[in-house]
Amino acid sequence: MNKYPPKKLIKDIDSTDVQNFKLSFNSSTNVLSEGDEGYEKSIIRWADNAIKKAGIVVQATCLDDIVKTVKFASKNHLDFAVSCGGHSSSGTSSSEGGVVLDMRKLNKVRVDVEKKLIYAQGGALFGDVDNEAWKYGLATVGGIVDHTGIGGLTLGGGFGHLTGRHGLTIDNVVGATIVTADGEVKELSESKNKDLFWAIRGCGANFGVVYEFIYKAHEQKEVFAGVIAYPAEKLDTIIEAINIWLKNRRSENEGMAVVISRSPPENKVFNHVIYDIFFFFFFFKKKKNFFFFLLL
Ligand SMILES: Cc1cc2nc3c(=O)[nH]c(=O)nc-3n(C[C@H](O)[C@H](O)[C@H](O)COP(=O)(O)OP(=O)(O)OC[C@H]3O[C@@H](n4cnc5c(N)ncnc54)[C@H](O)[C@@H]3O)c2cc1C
């Protein structure tokens, strides 16, 4: 049976190789090491516990940067992580001493209005996708907030406000361009590289670096959306109101996700913010529904 060689860190390999690797990029691509301007910012993640001191951070600006970085990491058996929106709280988009491929500069989104398709580069946030699609009255299934990366959210399955109507985010992926561990660029769809296309829609983030996703776009009308937070003592009233709203709901264009968080009483002192409130994310077709809940 083949055994994988142990993973190495940047400090374990020849510094001339590292230097040559850095010099192989053009000036628009930053390759950062500790001490370089922008390095500390590049390793920030949504969760503090996910911040790790990368050996090197490549801020890719084109497909070739991804290919080059993947090949370099593979050839040298380096610890390797891909980062998009940086929202993984388990630290899967960070590396302690290895290579981080930072996709955030690859965030272009374009819409084919006629075919109702959204082409989004693998470093975009869902806010980038929403903003571009909305210009044409379109939307796809993204997350509930706009600052999660499309990379991690899509490869993790993805659910959001439109899931009830259009399924998970992966149900709306119709194609992708991916760089596999050997540095090959592959187009994926129902007719090209079908097995890999199947894998990226539900098997996680380990099949390669996604350079671009193609999503189905759906017509989307304006809705009243947002978050309302209530003090805990309002819980019974709100549940009652939600039941009334559900019973009378005439449109599948309305939905909500209710988040109720209650920690053990002994933690109340530390968690008083989430202990004493609960909240829901909503989107309503009718303005009056919004005011109904707002005034409770
Ligand atoms: C505040 C908050 C709100 C959230 N809301 C929702 C929600 O409404 N719906 C939902 O489904 N999830 C939600 N999540 C979960 C979120 O989708 C996951 O944490 C997801 O992994 C974040 O993706 P990211 O690109 O921001 O994270 P990152 O930390 O950058 O990446 C996460 C994982 O994906 C990999 N990855 C990222 N981009 C690529 C790429 N282009 N190619 C290959 N691999 C890549 C990374 O290597 C890593 O393993 C939420 C998380 C937070 C913190």
Side-chain angles (χ1 to χ4, degrees), residues 21-295:
F21 173 64
K22 279 182 153 192
L23 292 172
S24 69
F25 290 87
N26 71 32
S27 58
S28 60
T29 302
N30 297 325
V31 186
L32 308 169
S33 305
E34 194 170 3
D36 290 341
E37 196 187 335
Y39 170 85
E40 294 299 332
K41 196 172 168 211
S42 76
I43 58 168
I44 289 175
R45 297 292 182 268
W46 185 81
D48 281 356
N49 62 290
I51 297 176
K52 299 178 194 168
K53 290 269 179 195
I56 220 171
V57 180
V58 179
Q59 297 184 316
T61 55
C62 62
L63 181 58
D64 193 44
D65 288 352
I66 301 176
V67 173
K68 213 184 286 182
T69 308
V70 168
K71 282 187 173 168
F72 178 72
S74 288
K75 185 177 145 216
N76 292 292
H77 309 296
L78 288 163
D79 189 56
F80 177 70
V82 186
S83 149
C84 176
H87 276 47
S88 159
S89 45
S90 58
T92 54
S93 57
S94 318
S95 166
E96 194 67 58
V99 179
V100 170
L101 177 61
D102 178 349
M103 297 285 288
R104 282 294 295 121
K105 289 191 172 169
L106 287 167
N107 59 2
K108 288 195 188 64
V109 180
R110 70 188 165 87
V111 178
D112 183 329
V113 181
E114 222 155 87
K115 292 190 179 144
K116 291 215 177 104
L117 293 175
I118 301 168
Y119 294 78
Q121 288 185 328
L125 303 182
F126 253 107
D128 300 323
V129 173
D130 291 343
N131 289 338
E132 195 56 30
W134 178 242
K135 288 181 189 165
Y136 309 96
L138 297 170
T140 193
V141 181
I144 282 169
V145 294
D146 63 357
H147 45 87
T148 39
I150 68 165
L153 188 138
T154 305
L155 296 170
F159 66 91
H161 291 299
L162 298 178
T163 290
R165 182 147 208 204
H166 304 301
L168 294 173
T169 305
I170 46 173
D171 297 323
N172 290 277
V173 174
V174 295
T177 304
I178 195 167
V179 179
T180 48
D182 51 6
E184 259 196 64
V185 179
K186 290 188 172 141
E187 287 190 6
L188 317 183
S189 69
E190 285 295 358
S191 55
K192 286 184 213 157
N193 296 301
K194 283 193 223 171
D195 51 350
L196 212 45
F197 184 53
W198 177 85
I200 65 155
R201 290 172 302 150
C203 304
N206 290 317
F207 293 91
V209 182
V210 180
Y211 169 68
E212 183 179 69
F213 291 98
I214 310 172
Y215 300 99
K216 264 187 241 171
H218 307 278
E219 278 172 29
Q220 179 62 49
K221 300 269 184 294
E222 200 164 66
V223 290
F224 299 92
V227 187
I228 308 183
Y230 300 94
E233 62 266 20
K234 287 266 185 178
L235 188 58
D236 289 344
T237 315
I238 301 301
I239 295 293
E240 211 175 298
I242 288 173
N243 283 331
I244 294 171
W245 165 75
L246 263 178
K247 211 168 142 198
N248 297 319
R249 194 168 66 136
R250 304 250 180 279
S251 163
E252 56 177 3
N253 289 324
E254 296 195 333
M256 66 170 69
V258 183
V259 179
I260 301 171
S261 164
R262 186 126 228 214
S263 49
E266 63 271 21
N267 293 343
K268 190 172 176 181
V269 171
F270 307 107
N271 290 339
H272 64 279
V273 176
I274 51 170
Y275 184 86
D276 283 337
I277 64 164
F278 67 99
F279 53 94
F280 68 76
F281 300 90
F282 65 88
F283 61 99
F284 295 134
K285 200 174 167 202
K286 292 186 193 139
K287 204 193 267 178
K288 72 170 199 216
N289 281 336
F290 166 63
F291 287 113
F292 172 60
F293 280 98
L294 192 66
L295 296 173

